[in-house]
Amino acid sequence: MAAPAEAAEPGLFARLREVAAEVTRRARHVRIASHRLEELAGVLARKRPEAGGSDPAHFRGGGEAARLAFVLTLNAVNFGSGWFPFLNKRPGRSGYLTLAAALRDHFRVHGPWSATALQQLGAADCAAVFGQPLTAPLDELMQLFAQALRDLGAFLAREHRGRFAGPIERAGGSAEALVQELAQMPLYRDVARYQGFALPFYKRAQLAAADLAEAFDGRGPGRFGDLDQLTLFADNLVPHVLRMLGVLVLDAELISRCDAGELIESGSAAEVELRAVALHAVELLAGSCARRGWPVAPRRLDNLLWWQGQSARIKARPRHRTRCTFY
């Protein structure tokens, strides 16, 4: 008799979903209000809203190569929400939109950096490009941006002969493969630990695949066969939106810390729970919407919720702030 076949190892996104569900069961600081989640699913399934919006900071000029370089360069520095209260923001723009628009403007005037040029950038260069002072605490963020861009240049030079198209070509149309490719860079290694479990959130690497799909309308460098397997892009805004909608309930101490603007340590139990429970809530929300006749991928729900987070009502209450290179 032939030996029984071994069960296939679950993929990266499936593992993340499984562990996020387990963290939700064990969580002490954050829980899901199931009735509010079902109410939200009912509203969404009835209204069937379109995508929340197209990122106005995305770069659309310069041809395919420049657009591809922009997406990978932007996602290399798409973090810093823990510093955003101190950021010099453009009028009417959030922290992210300020930084993304600044990078877009640089690309319009100067074009993309080469892999060699990326490796030569310092904190002062980043401060000039993003329009920020080199004073505390933003000097730390600019130093991290410079490190992230140098890492990108070194990665492209070492692995892909300096070509921005290299990581996408190696991924072969798989968003999961692209995530694992980008995770070779140290500041992309967004894997949290919780009670012995590893949570491969990989927020920025997942978002890079989604941004490529948007930038190229799902064709060419933006074509991924497993795009809808992406999870929530776990940051600090969507959990806050879910909290404001009553879907996530935080314990009193965590509410007090968030409201006071206290930094929540990256990798702490509360911070991991905020991200993991929000991720699981969006999975449940997607399932509930599908049962109501509106199949919607978690990445689409992330987009809808993220854009809700740009409203004055949502912004009126402080969200959690964590200083890390993951979001």
Side-chain angles (χ1 to χ4, degrees):
M1 179 182 296
E6 292 185 5
E9 177 78 14
L12 179 67
F13 303 144
R15 292 201 307 275
L16 176 54
R17 287 178 164 92
E18 289 173 4
V19 179
E22 182 60 30
V23 171
T24 302
R25 286 189 284 271
R26 298 179 179 220
R28 296 180 290 107
H29 304 283
V30 186
R31 65 178 177 85
I32 296 171
S34 299
H35 66 290
R36 296 300 295 271
L37 186 148
E38 293 300 327
E39 289 171 2
L40 178 58
V43 170
L44 291 173
R46 184 173 67 255
K47 293 184 176 180
R48 302 189 177 200
E50 296 296 323
S54 178
D55 191 336
H58 276 182
F59 180 70
R60 300 294 180 184
E64 179 177 299
R67 208 181 326 160
L68 174 56
F70 179 82
V71 172
L72 292 186
T73 304
L74 175 60
N75 278 286
V77 292
N78 189 2
F79 60 87
S81 58
W83 289 269
F84 283 1
F86 303 94
L87 208 68
N88 284 346
K89 298 184 181 70
R90 295 189 176 194
R93 295 292 182 108
S94 68
Y96 162 74
L97 291 174
T98 292
L99 296 172
L103 186 64
R104 176 201 62 197
D105 293 347
H106 176 86
F107 266 60
R108 283 177 173 169
V109 175
H110 303 285
W113 286 290
S114 67
T116 299
L118 283 168
Q119 294 177 77
Q120 297 169 354
L121 293 175
D125 301 302
C126 290
V129 168
F130 295 106
Q132 303 302 318
L134 267 180
T135 55
L138 293 175
D139 56 339
E140 181 182 19
L141 182 61
M142 294 302 106
Q143 289 164 8
L144 289 169
F145 277 9
Q147 180 183 341
L149 293 173
R150 290 194 300 268
D151 286 350
L152 175 62
F155 165 70
L156 293 174
R158 181 182 67 250
E159 298 289 334
H160 301 289
R161 293 179 288 119
R163 299 172 59 249
F164 283 93
I168 289 83
E169 291 170 356
R170 185 175 291 175
S174 166
E176 181 174 326
L178 180 61
V179 167
Q180 293 172 326
E181 183 72 11
L182 296 176
Q184 294 183 58
M185 288 178 275
L187 301 190
Y188 266 103
R189 292 174 193 158
D190 180 11
V191 181
R193 304 284 171 179
Y194 185 92
Q195 297 185 12
F197 294 97
L199 291 101
F201 286 117
Y202 290 126
K203 182 262 182 180
R204 289 194 291 117
Q206 289 201 62
L207 188 56
D211 281 351
L212 284 166
E214 179 185 340
F216 292 95
D217 299 317
R219 297 189 291 269
R223 186 172 183 273
F224 299 99
D226 55 350
L227 194 66
D228 282 346
Q229 293 303 307
L230 296 173
T231 71
L232 167 76
F233 310 128
D235 58 8
N236 71 331
L237 180 54
V238 175
H240 179 64
V241 174
L242 291 171
R243 173 192 169 195
M244 294 297 290
L245 295 175
V247 173
L248 291 192
V249 179
L250 281 54
D251 69 20
E253 180 183 357
L254 184 53
I255 289 173
S256 177
R257 295 178 68 192
C258 291
D259 286 352
E262 181 181 337
L263 290 174
I264 310 298
E265 184 181 358
S266 179
S268 65
E271 191 263 346
V272 176
E273 287 178 15
L274 281 162
R275 300 178 76 195
V277 178
L279 189 152
H280 186 58
V282 168
E283 293 295 319
L284 296 177
L285 190 59
S288 187
C289 287
R291 289 191 295 275
R292 287 173 162 83
W294 187 51
V296 58
R299 68 183 180 91
R300 297 290 189 189
L301 290 173
D302 177 281
N303 184 262
L304 291 169
L305 294 167
W306 192 90
W307 281 103
Q308 282 198 42
Q310 302 307 307
S311 72
R313 183 181 74 84
I314 299 294
K315 288 185 174 184
R317 191 83 181 265
R319 70 194 79 164
H320 88 265
R321 295 290 179 182
T322 297
R323 291 186 182 172
C324 64
T325 62
F326 306 138
Y327 56 91

